[in-house]
Amino acid sequence: MNDHQHNTARVLIRLREQRPLILSLTNNVVQSITANMLLAVGGVPVMLTHSGEIRDLLNSCANGMLVNVGTLSEPQAQTMLTAVKDAHEAGIPWVLDPVAVGLLHYRTQVCRELLQTPPAMIRGNASEIIALAGAEGALCRGVESTAASAAAINAAKALAQRTGAAVLVTGETDYATDGTTTIACRNGAEIMTRVTGVGCAMGALAAACLACAQTPLQAAVATAAILGIAGERAAAACARPGTFAALLLDELATLSADDVAKSALLDEM
Amino acid sequence: MNDHQHNTARVLIRLREQRPLILSLTNNVVQSITANMLLAVGGVPVMLTHSGEIRDLLNSCANGMLVNVGTLSEPQAQTMLTAVKDAHEAGIPWVLDPVAVGLLHYRTQVCRELLQTPPAMIRGNASEIIALAGAEGALCRGVESTAASAAAINAAKALAQRTGAAVLVTGETDYATDGTTTIACRNGAEIMTRVTGVGCAMGALAAACLACAQTPLQAAVATAAILGIAGERAAAACARPGTFAALLLDELATLSADDVAKSALLDEM
Amino acid sequence: MNDHQHNTARVLIRLREQRPLILSLTNNVVQSITANMLLAVGGVPVMLTHSGEIRDLLNSCANGMLVNVGTLSEPQAQTMLTAVKDAHEAGIPWVLDPVAVGLLHYRTQVCRELLQTPPAMIRGNASEIIALAGAEGALCRGVESTAASAAAINAAKALAQRTGAAVLVTGETDYATDGTTTIACRNGAEIMTRVTGVGCAMGALAAACLACAQTPLQAAVATAAILGIAGERAAAACARPGTFAALLLDELATLSADDVAKSALLDEM
């Protein structure tokens, strides 16, 4: 067992013990699977839309927050801009999921504005990370990346250095970096891309891992490994999308720290 | 078979015959499971957001309404305040689900305002019912209660007396009261708390039972027993959350009045 | 194999090859199943709410659009009215799903306004198509039709002639017409009406078929046949609603062009 496997197992143990409460400001399509994946793994999901209530929760019992711009509207952007400042003041770590940034102009500008308040983690596909890092020419096709995740490693490092966040680039292989250390996670299954919201819900899982890990990099690695291993196990039982979606929740609920320590495919690059 | 078992079986029979149409003004996270649980048990779900359309429906074919403040926004609060008045004028019974009241200030104030129009039923966990009854010191952790349901029985009775509604406090044991008679329902399974929206969808089931029961108290008891028995049967087949969620719908669809009469654990206190 | 079976098989083959990207402006209840059904069959789902982003997508990588008025609000109506004009200018075919038109006044008026920009397809139940065609006296009960689909054939033909769209009337038998040719599709299973959003998601599947068919009529026929056959196969495995919903996605993902060519029950009237 290497250090990364050991740390990932410890994050899962703490997640089950501490049951972190995660506020997800996320898109309309994935709220249910986001809450269900978080509940399955051991967290407590909350979704809110009112800025005053968001502040109430951040100042009482929230342990982490996700901001996902998948179906961004102007009122929601204002709510998110206020929420990240409130989270920062309350010392609550937050995760940015810059869905389709680079393709759609409004959210690209809003995400740049959100980043003026430092997130603890940024999770995106290769196209999104490249676009957010400021490179020209990156494009995604809707929510699908047009680039392989490895193509975004340098952009991810630059983005981590500039923002202070851990960056998790997801794809066939996931890469987690804090700008200095970069770790490849090779768990996962192709069918995970055929169920709406698995990637988006990963952002809420990341926020839960942040509340239970010693560093944002450890949290990013644990997020990729825990979800990837659960996905592999569910896909081995059934790789058809409807049944797989139910089994993925089942596996997240029953995955043990031992399973994670043994199965996590984590290599420092 | 005691009277409460008999009445619950009758509610289920009528629900299947009458197929009540229930308008749910509910939170963004649970709309799909709310509609699916209602459809499974025999009701007809409708969700709307436009006040004029809500009035159209209340004045044509609606048989009941749910108001759930889980992701309350200011425009939605205005819509709900108008809708409960319209429902009252149209003689349509409505159910209030005061999600996280007591923890979050904005919705606490809105729920107190909503209660100026009398609901037929209020469904909440112990923390929510205690907070809504006006007691100090009640707190919940997000959507989770920090108190056992039995701790809220007195608050539930007081709330029933003050509002004229039946109150259903849900937890490991559910308690239904009209302020005079209180009935404990001991059906259910712990895994039900690990699927997003089962509790919220219970409010829509409650509205459907109101349309088919002789009294709000009977409807509250039937709601707890029907959902609890379906949950027990599904959990006996698989207590992992993804598979369980599908089986819960299957059981709601196939549960017979005989099953309910035999399995309902209902005791007058 | 008749021509309609042959064309339907070809649409499915192209759908898997081309993976059309479909923008769905749809109601809050069904976004998840809409995205999952589209992903399962081979398309790429996108949901957006911001008019500028909708225009970005329509002018970059969208291949089709769905407009479903199920939970219409005034801001969403404005967004939809702009979106259909943008789609028309960009040459992107769009599908109208006039949910509950005829029963609810606001959306009835908005749908009439939307139709000033010509859609490629209109999909509705009998009550909705009769109401949209302008006949008096059509009523639905929430989202359920009060009329059998055959009763709407003349209204569907008239609506197709007036708008230039293919019209797909869904019910126990589905009817597709371009105003001249009318085809009955007898695939499907009753349990499909007990899962929220199967009908609404059909609109997104229709938009995907439009991108892969030679005519809107072919696309309407393919939509009815592909979904109907997947539904029959899933129902044969399990006709309980929770399990059925998962199996429907599984069948959509594994259905072959041969299956479709052999099983499609398509008759020209």
Side-chain angles (χ1 to χ4, degrees), chain B residues 30-109:
Chain B
V30 305
Q31 296 189 342
S32 175
I33 189 173
T34 299
N36 277 326
M37 279 179 48
L38 199 53
L39 269 175
V41 82
V44 176
V46 178
M47 273 84 166
L48 297 173
T49 62
H50 185 278
S51 283
E53 294 197 336
I54 290 169
R55 187 176 297 120
D56 285 351
L57 196 82
L58 290 169
N59 288 321
S60 56
C61 51
N63 301 114
M65 183 170 78
L66 166 66
V67 173
N68 171 307
V69 297
T71 54
L72 195 64
S73 64
E74 288 182 28
Q76 196 190 26
Q78 291 313 309
T79 302
M80 288 173 171
L81 287 162
T82 303
V84 298
K85 286 176 197 153
D86 289 340
H88 188 68
E89 279 182 28
I92 307 293
W94 66 282
V95 176
L96 177 65
D97 188 335
V99 182
V101 158
L103 175 69
L104 302 171
H105 299 112
Y106 177 65
R107 67 184 60 195
T108 303
Q109 168 198 329

Side-chain angles (χ1 to χ4, degrees), chain C residues 9-85:
Chain C
R10 273 210 321 197
V11 169
L12 183 62
I13 289 167
R14 285 191 192 160
L15 216 159
R16 298 267 165 75
E17 286 169 2
Q18 298 178 19
R19 304 205 63 207
L21 189 149
I22 305 304
L23 173 61
S24 294
L25 309 182
T26 190
N27 71 70
N28 302 330
V29 187
V30 305
Q31 296 189 342
S32 175
I33 189 174
T34 299
N36 277 326
M37 278 179 48
L38 198 54
L39 270 174
V41 82
V44 177
V46 178
M47 273 85 166
L48 298 173
T49 62
H50 185 278
S51 283
E53 294 197 335
I54 290 169
R55 187 177 296 122
D56 286 351
L57 196 81
L58 290 169
N59 288 320
S60 57
C61 51
N63 302 114
M65 183 169 79
L66 166 66
V67 173
N68 171 307
V69 298
T71 55
L72 195 65
S73 64
E74 288 182 27
Q76 196 189 26
Q78 291 312 310
T79 302
M80 287 172 170
L81 286 163
T82 302
V84 298
K85 286 176 196 152

Side-chain angles (χ1 to χ4, degrees), chain C residues 27-205:
Chain C
N27 71 70
N28 302 330
V29 187
V30 305
Q31 296 189 342
S32 175
I33 189 174
T34 299
N36 277 326
M37 278 179 48
L38 198 54
L39 270 174
V41 82
V44 177
V46 178
M47 273 85 166
L48 298 173
T49 62
H50 185 278
S51 283
E53 294 197 335
I54 290 169
R55 187 177 296 122
D56 286 351
L57 196 81
L58 290 169
N59 288 320
S60 57
C61 51
N63 302 114
M65 183 169 79
L66 166 66
V67 173
N68 171 307
V69 298
T71 55
L72 195 65
S73 64
E74 288 182 27
Q76 196 189 26
Q78 291 312 310
T79 302
M80 287 172 170
L81 286 163
T82 302
V84 298
K85 286 176 196 152
D86 289 340
H88 189 67
E89 279 182 27
I92 307 293
W94 67 282
V95 175
L96 177 65
D97 187 334
V99 182
V101 158
L103 176 68
L104 302 170
H105 298 111
Y106 178 65
R107 66 185 59 196
T108 303
Q109 168 198 331
V110 170
C111 282
R112 296 214 165 114
E113 215 174 322
L114 284 166
L115 284 182
Q116 290 172 14
T117 302
M121 204 191 301
I122 301 168
R123 184 214 79 91
N125 64 33
S127 296
E128 292 157 356
I129 296 301
I130 292 168
L132 201 61
E136 297 295 321
L139 273 181
C140 55
R141 184 163 172 274
V143 298
E144 293 193 327
S145 179
T146 52
S149 51
I153 292 176
N154 285 337
K157 285 183 189 173
L159 189 59
Q161 283 160 2
R162 201 181 77 211
T163 61
V167 176
L168 177 58
V169 189
T170 56
E172 194 182 330
T173 299
D174 300 329
Y175 298 94
T177 185
D178 60 5
T180 307
T181 305
T182 301
I183 295 153
C185 173
R186 301 183 199 281
N187 297 102
E190 197 274 337
I191 187 72
M192 296 167 81
T193 64
R194 289 296 185 102
V195 177
T196 292
V198 170
C200 292
M202 197 179 193
L205 178 55

